[in-house]
Amino acid sequence: MKRNDPISHLMTRNVITVHHGDPISKVRALVREHGVHHIPVVNGDKIVGIIAWSDILRVSFGDAFNTDERTVDATLDHTLSLEQVMKTNPVTLAETGTVREAAEILAKSDFHSLPIVSGTSKLVGMVTSTDLIRYLVEQF
């Protein structure tokens, strides 16, 4: 197994993001449109937070009651800001990191996505637990 492979071999480069100040409804739309479960929050090209689908579910009780999507979006957008729901200062890995380092971080954490950064927090990619499992399967 290639434990020292650079994380750049595994990471997604064209990351779906939202911008600091965007409404929560935008996150919900991106999840539905792209099927992603973790979306970095950026200010310019720097990561300032991350929001997961589970974060949205935690605050959108309407999803549990089959409420109209527009009603859920409007309620969330008028009661909460993205900054109130997202996790700030997410754990990141430098683009010079390895697959092993990413696996160690995700194995010891209670989150399932790892933003990959260049320099001082410039978002350049993303790795998820699922990416690591797929990588592992390819090794056998």
Side-chain angles (χ1 to χ4, degrees):
M1 182 175 298
K2 304 171 189 173
R3 290 181 278 181
N4 292 320
D5 271 356
I7 198 61
S8 59
H9 287 173
L10 183 63
M11 71 183 192
T12 299
R13 293 179 188 279
N14 297 321
V15 180
I16 305 296
T17 62
V18 290
H19 296 275
H20 180 72
D22 279 346
I24 294 174
S25 59
K26 182 172 182 180
V27 175
R28 288 173 42 86
L30 290 170
V31 167
R32 285 190 302 268
E33 181 180 344
H34 298 282
V36 294
H37 293 115
H38 309 92
I39 300 178
V41 181
V42 295
N43 188 356
D45 60 2
K46 294 188 180 201
I47 186 162
V48 295
I50 193 161
I51 188 160
W53 180 240
S54 59
D55 298 326
I56 300 295
L57 291 176
R58 180 174 42 86
V59 297
S60 63
F61 296 108
D63 284 342
F65 301 109
N66 295 323
T67 304
D68 178 81
E69 294 288 332
R70 292 174 298 188
T71 302
V72 173
D73 285 341
T75 301
L76 289 173
D77 288 347
H78 287 82
T79 58
L80 293 168
S81 69
L82 179 61
E83 292 73 21
Q84 289 174 304
V85 181
M86 73 182 197
K87 291 178 177 61
T88 57
N89 303 312
V91 174
T92 62
L93 179 65
E95 68 180 331
T96 56
T98 65
V99 171
R100 181 185 177 110
E101 290 172 308
E104 287 173 346
I105 291 169
L106 289 172
K108 294 175 184 174
S109 306
D110 63 350
F111 49 86
H112 300 281
S113 63
L114 186 60
I116 308 302
V117 297
S118 171
T120 57
S121 303
K122 179 182 178 186
L123 181 67
V124 296
M126 183 81 110
V127 172
T128 66
S129 308
T130 302
D131 296 329
L132 287 169
I133 291 168
R134 286 182 184 136
Y135 175 83
L136 181 63
V137 168
E138 290 173 7
Q139 302 304 308
F140 292 98

